Amino acid sequence: MAYDFSDKIAFVTGGARGIGRAVVEKLLYGNAFVVTAYNKSRTEAESLCRDAESKGKKLYALKCDVSDPDDVRSAAEYIEKSFGRLDFLVNNAGITSDGLVLRMKDEQWIKVISTDLNGVFYCTRAALKLMLKQRYGRIVNISSVIGLYGNAGQANYAAAKAGIIGFSKSVAREMGSRNILINVVAPGYIETDMVSGIPENAKSRILASIPQTRYGTPADVANVVCFLLSDDAGYMNGAVLDVNGGMY
């Protein structure tokens, strides 16, 4: 379904690849003006900008490490100075650094929590300062099926993604009366770089656990994200929508 996002200002973190890129493309298709944050994917971000420009769409790629509160603050200042408002925030940026807890290094834990959970907090806090002024906003946070049932070797990632759910439900209670809605999408195994790195024998086990017997696509997730940003989801707040083909 195509939504009309004309004149809406959206900020999407991790928008250069995978799920984030699909969200950016769908927002642009709906005529939103999109600012996307990238950290290490400069080449992909620039390619996305060129593609958007060739189609007459409005996209700006901003280098921003979401684990750095100063970077996030600067990004919010840019958005406020350039557009004077922010309507949508999609917290998608995330990383993994897998390992069994007994062997996990402090750096692995801190790195994942800093990006995947702290980044959501920093970006949400910055966005709310703009959204409160206009008494309107829509925030969608990308969690994961791993945050719902856990996974051996991914305690740091599971903790971050579970934390996003609790965080979002709390902010939904704080901001609902201000017409600022915050919801969560929890994807299953999606055809992205993260999944491509899974060993083939593990992929077979994963597919066997998915009733639809296929991995999801980034577009599958983007469709749900854009639904939550649209007026069609105007009475949804604090919800967690699973996009996992029925595996959980």
Side-chain angles (χ1 to χ4, degrees):
M1 180 177 179
Y3 295 103
D4 183 7
F5 294 131
S6 299
D7 301 322
K8 297 296 187 184
I9 309 300
F11 183 41
V12 181
T13 68
R17 301 185 300 169
I19 291 171
R21 187 183 185 105
V23 171
V24 168
E25 290 173 341
K26 193 165 182 67
L27 284 169
L28 291 172
Y29 184 75
N31 295 315
F33 189 108
V34 183
V35 178
T36 185
Y38 70 91
N39 187 18
K40 296 180 180 179
S41 302
R42 178 176 178 176
T43 300
E44 294 90 339
E46 291 177 345
S47 172
L48 184 58
C49 284
R50 287 193 298 270
D51 183 59
E53 185 178 2
S54 70
K55 297 175 182 176
K57 303 300 182 180
K58 301 174 182 178
L59 173 65
Y60 184 82
L62 188 69
K63 188 179 187 311
C64 175
D65 179 357
V66 298
S67 70
D68 184 339
D70 290 331
D71 261 20
V72 172
R73 192 176 300 112
S74 296
E77 289 173 354
Y78 166 81
I79 292 170
E80 183 173 27
K81 182 178 179 180
S82 300
F83 313 109
R85 61 181 293 114
L86 177 62
D87 301 293
F88 302 151
L89 169 65
V90 180
N91 281 309
N92 168 74
I95 61 171
T96 58
S97 184
D98 299 346
L100 297 174
V101 167
L102 282 172
R103 300 173 183 171
M104 186 174 289
K105 297 178 181 178
D106 292 352
E107 293 78 10
Q108 287 177 278
W109 177 269
I110 293 169
K111 184 178 180 181
V112 170
I113 296 297
S114 295
T115 297
D116 294 16
L117 183 57
N118 292 355
V120 170
F121 163 62
Y122 297 143
C123 291
T124 299
R125 180 177 61 182
L128 288 176
K129 292 177 181 178
L130 296 176
M131 292 176 175
L132 279 169
K133 294 178 182 178
Q134 63 209 32
R135 295 190 69 84
Y136 173 86
R138 300 290 182 265
I139 299 174
V140 177
N141 292 329
I142 306 299
S143 180
S144 169
V145 67
I146 303 302
L148 298 172
Y149 72 69
N151 194 33
Q154 289 191 301
N156 49 2
Y157 185 73
K161 293 302 185 177
I164 286 172
I165 293 173
F167 171 80
S168 301
K169 287 182 175 292
S170 297
V171 179
R173 291 184 177 274
E174 294 178 9
M175 292 292 131
S177 63
R178 276 85 167 177
N179 194 29
I180 299 171
L181 309 181
I182 181 166
N183 293 289
V184 178
V185 174
Y189 286 86
I190 309 298
E191 293 175 340
T192 63
D193 291 344
M194 285 188 183
V195 168
S196 67
I198 298 174
E200 288 303 319
N201 61 337
K203 286 183 179 180
S204 298
R205 292 196 300 270
I206 291 168
L207 281 174
S209 71
I210 303 173
Q212 283 187 247
T213 65
R214 71 170 177 87
Y215 293 119
T217 68
D220 288 327
V221 182
N223 289 337
V224 178
V225 171
C226 287
F227 161 69
L228 289 172
L229 295 174
S230 76
D231 292 339
D232 287 349
Y235 199 56
M236 296 185 70
N237 194 25
V240 181
L241 298 189
D242 300 328
V243 186
N244 60 38
M247 71 177 297
Y248 182 79

